[in-house]
Amino acid sequence: MITLPFNRLKVAGFAVLFVVLSALVPLTIQQELNGKADQLWSALFSPWMIVSALALLTVYYLSDALRLWFTLRALGQHQRLRAMFPLVFINILFSNITPMATGGGVVQVWFLHRRGIHIGAATAATTLRTLLASLMIFLPAPFLMIGIDHLIDNPAISTWGPWMGLFAALYVAFFFVVLLRLRWFMHAGATMLAILRRTHLINAARERRWRFRLRREIIRFDYSFRAFFKAGRTDRLAALISTATFLVSLFSFPALLMWGLGYPVDYPLILALMLVNTFIMYFAPTPGAAGIAEGVFAILFSTLAGSGELLILVLGWRFLTVHLGMLIGVPITLYALGRKG
């Protein structure tokens, strides 16, 4: 049984940093508005808006669970669908309190391992799940940044666009190196263990044991990853469709909020802007891209909504897509951590 490699003080520190940075941008906007946005909240609490938000949240959470479930099925790892729902909220919680969303995948691997899936297979499933979503975001994002007039006229996007395109290429290239040159990582891990032994941080017996486990799980990872492409078309296609549904539902929350505030909705443009915003969030070093996500969102939507409505959009978007899931994830995580493996 593996243990989570998280320091409690660090996790708590990241959580506090996330809260502070998430509140900083909206508070700054609120000061600029001098409280003029208060009357706008009532428009978002009408019965039909609440029902619409709940329906969209259902699609959002369900498709998130399904994309991991179908990926696991394609790898030959059959789990109950209901077992995927805790992973949805655990992933949202830990992804948003760790820099560059690094913690969510680690916790999901730990959770799947507790359910009897080998570490290598669980890592392959979470990697493939992330890779499918990343490719759907990274491939069109550079073209959208140079092809949409709304973005071309933005000086920040035009300045940083080429650099982010380069980072996207390096990010995708890293995934392919991981998948096609696993022996490099095997040798690197063995070298690191040898260094730890020579510096007397571990003994020879532990080095042999850890090297064996590392090699075993990398072989399992490679086997599971190749199994995905040899699996039946149904599960692979379902994983792709559920991933696309997840992204479309994630990008649709600002459109729903603008509709509730009475704005005409250019749905394709909003989807494109949200894709670019999510693309930029991948490179944010803060926990959950807090502060940066809100700032970029405000820049992208500044010409589509008035100043008061912009504050509502920022707060509503982050609450529905992140903060609500984190609130649900806290008790689920505590329950999962308290259970015996």
Side-chain angles (χ1 to χ4, degrees), residues 7-246:
N7 181 286
R8 293 183 179 180
L9 291 178
K10 289 183 178 180
V11 172
F14 285 140
V16 172
L17 182 60
F18 170 82
V19 173
V20 172
L21 292 176
S22 296
L24 185 60
V25 172
L27 288 175
T28 302
I29 298 174
Q30 177 68 29
Q31 290 178 355
E32 295 295 329
L33 296 176
N34 295 321
K36 296 179 181 178
D38 294 340
Q39 67 275 17
L40 297 173
W41 285 107
S42 58
L44 298 181
F45 286 95
S46 61
W48 70 268
M49 267 298 295
I50 294 176
V51 172
S52 300
L54 290 175
L56 185 56
L57 283 169
T58 301
V59 175
Y60 174 51
Y61 294 140
L62 178 60
S63 59
D64 196 7
L66 286 173
R67 66 191 184 115
L68 179 58
W69 188 61
F70 282 119
T71 301
L72 285 168
R73 286 175 58 88
L75 299 183
Q77 303 291 336
H78 295 277
Q79 295 282 319
R80 294 182 178 179
L81 178 58
R82 67 182 184 184
M84 299 298 103
F85 288 101
L87 284 173
V88 170
F89 301 104
I90 291 173
N91 179 54
I92 292 175
L93 175 62
F94 279 88
S95 292
N96 286 285
I97 61 175
T98 51
M100 300 186 73
T102 53
V106 175
V107 178
Q108 285 189 321
V109 170
W110 169 81
F111 189 91
L112 290 171
H113 183 61
R114 283 168 60 99
R115 295 192 60 84
I117 299 178
H118 293 302
I119 297 174
T123 304
T126 56
T127 301
L128 281 164
R129 187 274 316 271
T130 302
L131 182 61
L132 291 176
S134 299
L135 290 176
M136 291 183 184
I137 293 172
F138 281 26
L139 293 180
F143 298 99
L144 291 175
M145 294 173 73
I146 63 176
I148 299 179
D149 294 337
H150 184 83
L151 298 178
I152 295 176
D153 297 335
N154 192 304
I157 299 299
S158 61
T159 300
W160 290 99
W163 289 105
M164 287 184 287
L166 176 62
F167 291 148
L170 293 175
Y171 184 89
V172 174
F174 172 77
F175 268 106
F176 281 102
V177 169
V178 170
L179 302 174
L180 301 177
R181 292 293 184 268
L182 282 173
R183 290 186 179 274
W184 293 357
F185 292 89
M186 194 179 299
H187 291 315
T191 301
M192 182 63 66
L193 291 175
I195 293 174
L196 293 176
R197 178 182 56 81
R198 285 196 294 267
T199 55
H200 304 290
L201 294 175
I202 60 175
N203 56 34
R206 179 166 293 183
E207 179 199 3
R208 288 193 299 271
R209 185 166 62 251
W210 286 4
R211 184 169 55 189
F212 169 76
R213 291 177 178 175
L214 174 66
R215 182 181 180 87
R216 179 186 63 189
E217 298 306 332
I218 288 180
I219 291 174
R220 285 173 173 168
F221 175 91
D222 183 55
Y223 175 82
S224 298
F225 184 82
R226 295 178 187 276
F228 179 81
F229 295 97
K230 296 178 182 179
R233 293 182 179 180
T234 302
D235 289 329
R236 284 186 294 166
L237 182 60
L240 290 170
I241 293 175
S242 56
T243 300
T245 304
F246 165 75

